[in-house]
Amino acid sequence: ELCPKTSPLLKGTITINLSGLTINETESTKKMSLYWLSVPLYRRPSDCKCRNKTAIIVPFRDREQHLSYFLYYLHRLLHRQQLCYVIFVVDQNDDKPFNRGRLSNVGFKYASNLSNFDCYIIHDVDMIAEDDRIMYTCNRQVVHYTFLLSKFNYNLVYHGYAGGGIGYTKEQFEKTNGFPNEYYGWGGEDDDINIRINEKGFGIYRSPEPFYRFTMIRHGRDSGNPPYVGRMERLGKARQRIDVDGLNSLVITNLKEVKHKTYTRIYITRSRSCEPLREV
Ligand code: BGN
């Protein structure tokens, strides 16, 4: 039978203790998932038929320790929410500036090609939900989950912030043309999708519940992710570029997949032929 509308497994606030966790800890997560796995593709709640299928898409490079924290907490949360889900880690396997937008598009394309999910959540690896009532599901509006971050003292950092974790239905992602592919390095791509989502009339939903809080794992700036100097200028043209730069202009070459027990990792390397014009 269908799972209840509100999962009886929810416990509320989650205590997050990062110092006590090591990469080895994920081994226990692996064993746990084997126990719950009934169909290779999804982790299913053992006792009922899930109401929602969610794809978690994590743009990633070189943050193995963060990934083990992330998986450890997220698997527990999603299980308690009685969701069917798959976690896709999209790994930029080159030394070019990090391109979060493009990785998100690759993840969406890969996931939506694999199966029909109700919700595609693009999620940073360094953000961990502090409450299991933060539902990893979608809405009529595009859902922004990560607007109260420890890093910003749990305040919305500015009106229009759309960074961290954001959930789309297939239709929403396709109609907004996903993410821009042409932001290289840190900053701006999330402000760009905010424009897309509003221009296409979906709007962004942020829960009024006070428990929508996220811990952001502290880290220094990545050398492979320098601030993108051209981001202001690119953002100024965001409206004109919605239907030109995005899911529909994505070229995927050199994709490799590795299936782990608790997530699928997709390696994507930018080939020479689609090298971006270097903007300095
Ligand atoms: C903003 C960045 C976002 C980032 C947030 C939070 C830009 C665009 C030029 C104004 N936007 O300033 O990408 O997520 O800070 O750190 O840099």
Side-chain angles (χ1 to χ4, degrees):
E1 335 62 75
L2 215 54
C3 294
K5 281 212 170 105
T6 305
S7 167
L9 306 179
L10 298 182
K11 291 184 181 155
T13 309
I14 297 164
T15 308
I16 294 166
N17 178 1
L18 300 179
S19 57
L21 273 176
T22 64
I23 290 187
N24 282 344
E25 197 85 22
T26 5
E27 293 304 316
S28 63
T29 313
K30 281 182 191 167
K31 284 185 196 124
M32 197 174 73
S33 87
L34 269 183
Y35 177 70
W36 282 326
L37 198 77
S38 52
V39 172
L41 184 58
Y42 300 116
R43 288 263 314 280
R44 284 183 192 281
S46 47
D47 38 0
C48 54
K49 195 169 173 296
C50 59
R51 286 179 180 265
N52 287 283
K53 289 185 202 168
T54 293
I56 312 281
I57 294 161
V58 187
F60 182 87
R61 184 169 63 191
D62 216 12
R63 295 271 192 93
E64 300 303 332
Q65 181 68 69
H66 292 184
L67 182 59
S68 68
Y69 296 152
F70 180 80
L71 293 171
Y72 181 89
Y73 285 104
L74 192 58
H75 277 301
R76 279 162 181 73
L77 178 144
L78 295 172
H79 174 74
R80 287 190 201 162
Q81 295 188 352
Q82 299 189 312
L83 296 175
C84 287
Y85 66 93
V86 188
I87 299 175
F88 302 94
V89 173
V90 193
D91 189 326
Q92 183 174 326
N93 192 20
D94 61 32
D95 52 13
K96 311 271 161 50
F98 191 63
N99 190 327
R100 180 170 176 269
R102 183 164 181 272
L103 294 170
S104 304
N105 287 337
V106 170
F108 173 82
K109 218 165 209 177
Y110 184 93
S112 59
N113 192 40
L114 194 68
S115 184
N116 225 340
F117 292 93
D118 302 305
C119 190
Y120 297 82
I121 301 181
I122 312 298
H123 206 303
D124 284 356
V125 72
D126 56 2
M127 294 186 189
I128 299 177
E130 296 181 11
D131 198 296
D132 62 18
R133 292 167 293 175
I134 300 174
M135 287 305 295
Y136 276 65
T137 52
C138 273
N139 204 313
R140 241 181 302 197
Q141 291 178 290
V142 175
V143 182
H144 188 211
Y145 310 92
T146 52
F147 52 95
L148 303 180
L149 293 172
S150 59
K151 171 169 116 163
F152 301 125
N153 295 314
Y154 303 104
N155 292 305
L156 179 62
V157 60
Y158 55 87
H159 176 79
Y161 173 63
I166 192 150
Y168 297 78
T169 62
K170 187 163 196 259
E171 187 204 5
Q172 288 163 348
F173 200 86
E174 285 175 344
K175 289 209 171 140
T176 55
N177 203 17
F179 277 68
N181 299 304
E182 306 202 352
Y183 285 72
Y184 308 99
W186 182 89
E189 86 296 335
D190 49 357
D191 302 315
D192 191 298
I193 59 159
N194 179 56
I195 293 174
R196 291 172 180 230
I197 292 162
N198 288 315
E199 284 289 306
K200 296 289 181 180
F202 291 110
I204 290 186
Y205 176 78
R206 293 189 190 88
S207 169
E209 298 285 1
F211 55 74
Y212 265 64
R213 293 158 64 106
F214 281 76
T215 291
M216 191 160 162
I217 305 172
R218 287 161 182 274
H219 55 84
R221 189 167 289 292
D222 292 315
S223 57
N225 193 15
Y228 172 38
V229 178
R231 66 190 188 280
M232 279 290 218
E233 200 184 324
R234 198 159 276 303
L235 201 53
K237 296 189 197 118
R239 273 179 193 79
Q240 298 96 283
R241 305 210 24 101
I242 298 175
D243 297 311
V244 184
D245 173 19
L247 192 60
N248 69 359
S249 65
L250 181 70
V251 182
I252 300 182
T253 48
N254 304 334
L255 185 145
K256 238 181 26 191
E257 52 166 37
V258 178
K259 286 190 177 151
H260 296 264
K261 294 253 161 59
T262 59
Y263 71 100
T264 297
R265 193 182 296 216
I266 301 155
Y267 292 92
I268 178 96
T269 311
R270 183 168 275 276
S271 75
R272 283 191 177 193
S273 57
C274 43
E275 187 86 8
L277 292 175
R278 198 48 61 83
E279 285 162 88
V280 188

